[in-house]
Amino acid sequence: MKNRLPSLLFLIYIISTHSIIAQFAEPILLQEDTSNITNIVFADINNDNLKDIIVTKKIESTSISYFINLGDLNFSEENVILSGNSLVTNIATGDFNNDGWEDLISIGDNENSVRLHINSNSTFTSQVIDTFTFFESDISASDIDNDGDLDFIAIGGPTFKVFYNDGSANFTQQTISGPQDNFEDFFDITIADIDNDGYEDVITGGANTSVYKNTNGIITYDSTRSSAINNGTNLMVKLIDLDNDGDLDLLSQSNSSSFGIHWIENDGNGNFINTHIIDPNPYSVESVTVKDFDNDEDNDILISDNFDLLIYNNDSLGNFSLPSVIQDNDLSISTVYSEDFDNDGDYDIIWSADLSIQLNNNTLSIDKNPDNNNINIYPNPVLDNINIYTETSGKCTVYNFIGQIIASDIALNSGYNTIKLSNKAQGYIIKIETNNKATYKKVLSK
């Protein structure tokens, strides 16, 4: 039996659509006319300790390019890595030749090629590593054999290949057999250690959802684990802990109306059981990013669904809210990615089209300030009065769960304080400021 957080947490975090919308600022435009972007990733291209934006495109004269992060949300003009009217679908980053510079690996162009782009002082040299026939494809970097360098996996059409690195960006490739003698159309890939044996396993999405076990660096198709996942064609797969039990669950999107966006629970040993439906009928999921967007110590799900950005909030046990709209765009949003752009401790988002950043202005996040851990609020759940104990004097502000202020600038004395509530709400966020530092506490209402 897996350890669970107390059932009370199931009720703690209920946020309305309006509060979620207000969580993200108005978009900051980086570049117009970017509807053909297929992927967005971040890496420090020029070794200045700032992560830069890298994009791939299809059916454009520029296939791979990057924008240097100048700091303070300023970015350079577009710099081209690979040009040509191409169909690059995905890209991964990492230092493949161990020279201290972030390189790139890409898949998908009019030659159906896998390319390595070696970075030398922000100048890239590209070479074709392999070619094979595919329509849709994906690529991901990982140390598959635990030898201290980055290998990568490329999938497309019916082909699954592992490229083992010798440490100097020389690769030995291995084709992996799958179900039905490898007769499978691959769409997506996710790599992580599902059974805690120290080696990263692989799950692919496509005509089948398939599990590939990593045994001491050797990847093989796992028919037992794969056959337990029977949700039709899955266009998106991602390994992430969604129920806060310490293992990696499987988030997926099926074309079956019975499942839609769903997640399957990991039993702790890499077996996927108990399917949980998040949204049975999303319109058209283009891209997904999973992070703790509200800083409540669980993973939320944000998707681009045709013209919209939608967020599903997690209650810490893997139960998700109805979708709330973050962005309603005039153009189809092809991809979305999350990163902390302004270094304020929460995850912002970048999406296309147009290529835009939205900052996360979450005012109800948890401040993990160790100096303020000596604050106690009781009872919880609360009826009419909130009692606050703090070792130092300060002030507090009370919000409801949709971000409206119930009471503000209430003086707190060192020791015990009582606040009488005149406004009934489902729950409250208590902001407590002492020693010029703030802590946020969640309180249920009876």
Side-chain angles (χ1 to χ4, degrees):
M1 187 70 154
K2 300 200 294 186
N3 293 327
R4 290 287 190 178
L5 295 174
S7 60
L8 177 63
L9 289 180
F10 177 81
L11 300 173
I12 285 182
Y13 200 31
I14 305 168
I15 296 183
S16 76
T17 299
H18 295 91
S19 65
I20 298 296
I21 293 173
Q23 178 180 333
F24 289 89
E26 288 298 311
I28 301 170
L29 178 65
L30 296 183
Q31 189 180 55
E32 294 181 327
D33 301 324
T34 54
S35 59
N36 288 327
I37 286 180
T38 57
N39 200 10
I40 303 172
V41 296
F42 266 66
D44 184 3
I45 294 294
N46 58 348
N47 281 355
D48 62 353
N49 296 317
L50 296 172
K51 287 189 176 181
D52 311 301
I53 300 170
I54 306 159
V55 300
T56 61
K57 301 176 184 178
K58 63 180 180 181
I59 320 175
E60 287 199 12
S61 58
T62 299
S63 302
I64 306 174
S65 59
Y66 64 91
F67 302 81
I68 290 293
N69 189 342
L70 305 175
D72 297 324
L73 297 176
N74 295 306
F75 290 86
S76 71
E77 294 296 318
E78 184 177 21
N79 298 275
V80 176
I81 294 175
L82 182 66
S83 59
N85 189 4
S86 187
L87 296 167
V88 172
T89 54
N90 281 297
I91 197 166
T93 67
D95 184 4
F96 292 100
N97 61 351
N98 291 309
D99 66 351
W101 295 87
E102 286 284 311
D103 310 306
L104 312 174
I105 195 84
S106 66
I107 189 169
D109 58 20
N110 48 12
E111 297 176 350
N112 284 349
S113 66
V114 176
R115 290 177 181 263
L116 174 66
H117 311 270
I118 292 293
N119 180 2
S120 177
N121 196 20
S122 304
T123 299
F124 287 87
T125 303
S126 300
Q127 65 183 93
V128 175
I129 300 294
D130 193 17
T131 59
F132 53 90
T133 302
F134 50 78
F135 171 71
E136 190 61 57
S137 58
D138 199 5
I139 198 164
S140 185
S142 176
D143 186 2
I144 297 297
D145 50 8
N146 283 4
D147 64 351
D149 55 43
L150 274 180
D151 314 302
F152 69 90
I153 293 176
I155 59 171
T159 303
F160 181 130
K161 288 190 176 184
V162 181
F163 295 80
Y164 292 98
N165 190 355
D166 68 355
S168 300
N170 301 305
F171 296 94
T172 301
Q173 59 179 272
Q174 178 185 3
T175 299
I176 308 299
S177 298
Q180 303 175 24
D181 297 323
N182 207 39
F183 182 73
E184 178 166 14
D185 288 325
F186 294 107
F187 284 86
D188 200 15
I189 188 171
T190 181
I191 303 176
D193 184 4
I194 63 174
D195 54 0
N196 296 310
D197 67 349
Y199 285 87
E200 296 200 322
D201 310 295
V202 181
I203 295 182
T204 59
N208 301 285
T209 301
S210 300
V211 181
Y212 294 82
K213 181 73 179 73
N214 185 346
T215 305
N216 299 321
I218 304 301
I219 303 292
T220 54
Y221 174 64
D222 190 324
S223 59
T224 301
R225 286 186 171 97
S226 298
S227 61
I229 305 172
N230 185 22
N231 295 324
T233 299
N234 283 286
L235 306 180
M236 174 269 292
V237 288
K238 187 177 290 291
L239 287 166
I240 192 84
D241 186 5
L242 294 175
D243 53 4
N244 277 356
D245 63 353
D247 55 40
L248 298 175
D249 308 301
L250 178 61
L251 174 66
S252 187
Q253 180 225 338
S254 173
N255 65 350
S256 168
S257 59
S258 300
F259 294 100
I261 302 174
H262 62 279
W263 67 279
I264 311 174
E265 187 177 345
N266 188 338
D267 69 354
N269 296 310
N271 304 301
F272 294 96
I273 58 174
N274 299 331
T275 299
H276 303 264
I277 307 300
I278 298 171
D279 188 339
N281 293 301
Y283 181 73
S284 177
V285 178
E286 301 289 340
S287 180
V288 62
T289 182
V290 183
K291 291 286 181 10
D292 182 8
F293 289 105
D294 49 15
N295 282 359
D296 65 347
E297 300 181 346
D298 56 42
N299 285 306
D300 310 302
I301 299 168
L302 195 153
I303 68 169
S304 59
D305 189 357
N306 203 14
F307 295 92
D308 298 328
L309 289 180
L310 305 176
I311 192 168
Y312 303 79
N313 276 90
N314 192 348
D315 70 351
S316 294
L317 298 179
N319 302 295
F320 288 86
S321 68
L322 293 174
S324 300
V325 178
I326 292 173
Q327 180 66 33
D328 183 3
N329 201 34
D330 292 333
L331 299 172
S332 177
I333 299 175
S334 59
T335 188
V336 62
Y337 187 85
S338 52
E339 186 71 34
D340 184 5
F341 294 102
D342 51 2
N343 295 318
D344 65 349
D346 53 32
Y347 286 101
D348 313 299
I349 53 176
I350 182 170
W351 46 269
S352 176
D354 296 310
L355 188 61
S356 303
I357 289 174
Q358 279 188 267
L359 294 181
N360 187 348
N361 291 334
N362 181 23
T363 59
L364 303 185
S365 60
I366 298 174
D367 187 335
K368 304 175 183 67
N369 180 3
D371 295 334
N372 283 0
N373 286 339
N374 53 359
I375 294 173
N376 188 25
I377 296 181
Y378 63 95
N380 193 1
V382 66
L383 183 58
D384 296 314
N385 297 324
I386 296 177
N387 299 304
I388 300 175
Y389 173 82
T390 174
E391 290 186 359
T392 58
S393 61
K395 65 179 180 178
C396 81
T397 303
V398 181
Y399 302 86
N400 62 20
F401 271 3
I402 65 172
Q404 297 170 326
I405 295 176
I406 302 300
S408 61
D409 295 326
I410 301 171
L412 297 177
N413 299 315
S414 59
Y416 295 92
N417 302 264
T418 298
I419 300 174
K420 184 172 180 60
L421 299 172
S422 58
N423 187 313
K424 298 297 181 182
Q426 288 180 315
Y428 305 92
I429 302 295
I430 315 298
K431 178 184 178 183
I432 302 166
E433 297 174 271
T434 59
N435 297 325
N436 296 318
K437 296 178 181 178
T439 296
Y440 292 85
K441 301 283 187 178
K442 300 175 184 175
V443 179
L444 287 176
S445 178
K446 288 184 179 179

